[in-house]
Amino acid sequence: MFIVDNVGSAEPVCSYFSQNYKKIQWGVMLVLSVIIYGSHAPLISLCKVNGEIPFSSTSVVLLIELYKFIVSVSLLLIWDRKSTEVLLSWRLALPYTLPALLYCVNNNLVVHMQHFMDPSSFQVLSNLKIVSTALLYSLFLNQRLSINKWFALFLLLAAGVFYSYGGIQGVENLSPDTHLYVTLTGLFLMLLYCVISGLSAVYTEIILKTQSIPLNMQNIFLYTFGIVINLTAHLTSSHEGSFFKGFSVWVLVIIFSQAVNGLIMSAVMKHSSNITRLFIISFSMLVNGLLSFFMFNLQLTILFYLAVILIGSAVYLYYGVK
């Protein structure tokens, strides 16, 4: 009887640890994503030589897509070997051409927009993608958000604007030559960028959730088209020197971290939502500010702390208030 009782009581204990393990695993993924998002800009700064980025951005993006593809294939062979025959179905693969193309377009838009506005204006206005993503998420996924949740997303937008406008400050920010400007063309490109950003993210979420195939296989489809499109963009772009020109240890760190983050984001959109992704991006601003403070001796202004309060309030309103 004693042995039977122990065996019977072990089942809920195992179930308890199993459920908590999944929660811990999910929490680690989200925290890691926040850190990677927040460390991207500081890592780019560490790569600069004489104030300029020495490597080709198309080379880096292509290698990120290739790394994600290799990891996805490896995980598929380890965990879902029986599903490999689905790889022959182009009917399942074809929908992934659109998000791959949209991501490529937005990567190029980011570069071209710099000619029509100053960096500070770009950072501030790019927060509009929070609104575009939320609107498209609500529209295409039939998610009716309550007033509290819409207000929470508005707080995220406000936090992004405050942080981008002056959450961190250095000597260069105090220069009298610095001025804000946005041309009409720049404003149009920014609106296009925000719409494409929201559309690509929501469309990807729809595909990932509606197809009943393993996530690793879905990632293979997405990254295959990403490799093809970004390789084409690299070959047609004007770049000097070798493919690996200007690469350093920090560039390799960027490639590895961004690939890991891409894999995490696919899991988030598969098992959670784009709203979770927006909160991750918002929290990453705080990580970016802290890293800038410790690594580059930049000052955290009152706008940074205001952004912290707004993000905390947004989390409470969206997830804590019923």
Side-chain angles (χ1 to χ4, degrees):
M1 290 294 295
F2 179 77
I3 296 176
V4 172
D5 286 342
N6 279 341
V7 173
S9 62
E11 292 184 1
V13 171
C14 292
S15 177
Y16 172 80
F17 281 111
S18 177
Q19 292 176 359
N20 279 271
Y21 173 76
K22 291 181 180 179
K23 290 180 180 179
I24 293 173
Q25 185 181 41
W26 188 250
V28 170
M29 287 173 56
L30 296 182
V31 171
L32 181 60
S33 182
V34 168
I35 294 174
I36 292 174
Y37 264 119
S39 62
H40 184 60
L43 286 174
I44 291 290
S45 298
L46 292 174
C47 295
K48 290 183 177 180
V49 177
N50 297 324
E52 296 184 356
I53 298 176
F55 56 86
S56 168
S57 59
T58 56
S59 299
V60 170
V61 173
L62 180 57
L63 288 175
I64 291 173
E65 293 296 307
L66 183 60
Y67 184 84
K68 290 188 291 186
F69 174 82
I70 293 173
V71 172
S72 298
V73 170
S74 301
L75 293 177
L76 181 69
L77 294 176
I78 293 172
W79 292 337
D80 301 297
R81 183 182 294 270
K82 294 181 179 180
S83 303
T84 53
E85 64 270 12
V86 184
L87 283 169
L88 300 176
S89 175
W90 288 99
R91 179 180 58 83
L92 293 174
L94 194 59
Y96 294 89
T97 56
L98 181 58
L101 182 61
L102 291 176
Y103 288 135
C104 183
V105 169
N106 254 17
N107 288 336
N108 286 278
L109 273 178
V110 169
V111 177
H112 290 297
M113 278 191 291
Q114 309 300 321
H115 300 292
F116 303 101
M117 65 184 70
D118 65 283
S120 296
S121 295
F122 170 78
Q123 291 295 330
V124 172
L125 293 175
S126 63
N127 288 286
L128 290 173
K129 64 185 178 184
I130 294 176
V131 177
S132 64
T133 301
L135 287 173
L136 292 170
Y137 171 81
S138 178
L139 178 63
F140 290 108
L141 289 169
N142 296 319
Q143 298 291 328
R144 293 186 177 181
L145 303 180
S146 64
I147 295 178
N148 284 337
K149 291 186 175 182
W150 277 115
F151 187 63
L153 294 174
F154 170 77
L155 292 182
L156 283 187
L157 173 63
V161 170
F162 287 140
Y163 177 83
S164 301
Y165 186 73
I168 53 177
Q169 197 171 64
V171 177
E172 68 277 4
N173 298 105
L174 304 177
S175 172
D177 297 329
T178 302
H179 63 284
L180 304 177
Y181 73 92
V182 180
T183 66
L184 188 60
T185 301
L187 184 59
F188 171 77
L189 292 177
M190 175 57 71
L191 293 175
L192 183 63
Y193 166 80
C194 291
V195 171
I196 292 178
S197 176
L199 182 62
S200 58
V202 172
Y203 181 76
T204 301
E205 180 178 344
I206 292 174
I207 299 174
L208 294 177
K209 287 183 174 178
T210 53
Q211 288 187 343
S212 56
I213 58 177
L215 176 60
N216 290 315
M217 181 166 291
Q218 292 177 309
N219 283 338
I220 290 172
F221 292 152
L222 180 61
Y223 303 143
T224 297
F225 289 113
I227 291 171
V228 172
I229 292 174
N230 283 285
L231 178 60
T232 303
H234 175 77
L235 294 176
T236 56
S237 63
S238 57
H239 54 275
E240 299 179 357
S242 66
F243 184 87
F244 298 101
K245 178 184 177 182
F247 273 41
S248 64
V249 174
W250 293 117
V251 177
L252 298 180
V253 171
I254 289 174
I255 293 171
F256 173 77
S257 62
Q258 290 303 307
V260 170
N261 200 35
L263 294 167
I264 293 175
M265 281 298 101
S266 65
V268 167
M269 287 189 281
K270 175 79 169 182
H271 302 293
S272 185
S273 70
N274 266 290
I275 302 301
T276 302
R277 171 177 162 270
L278 293 180
F279 275 94
I280 289 174
I281 294 173
S282 295
F283 272 106
S284 70
M285 294 187 299
L286 309 183
V287 174
N288 176 267
L290 292 175
L291 288 176
S292 299
F293 173 76
F294 288 110
M295 295 172 61
F296 307 114
N297 295 319
L298 299 181
Q299 299 177 354
L300 301 179
T301 70
I302 190 172
L303 293 179
F304 173 83
Y305 298 105
L306 180 57
V308 172
I309 295 173
L310 290 176
I311 293 173
S313 301
V315 172
Y316 174 74
L317 283 174
Y318 198 92
Y319 294 104
V321 178
K322 302 297 182 181

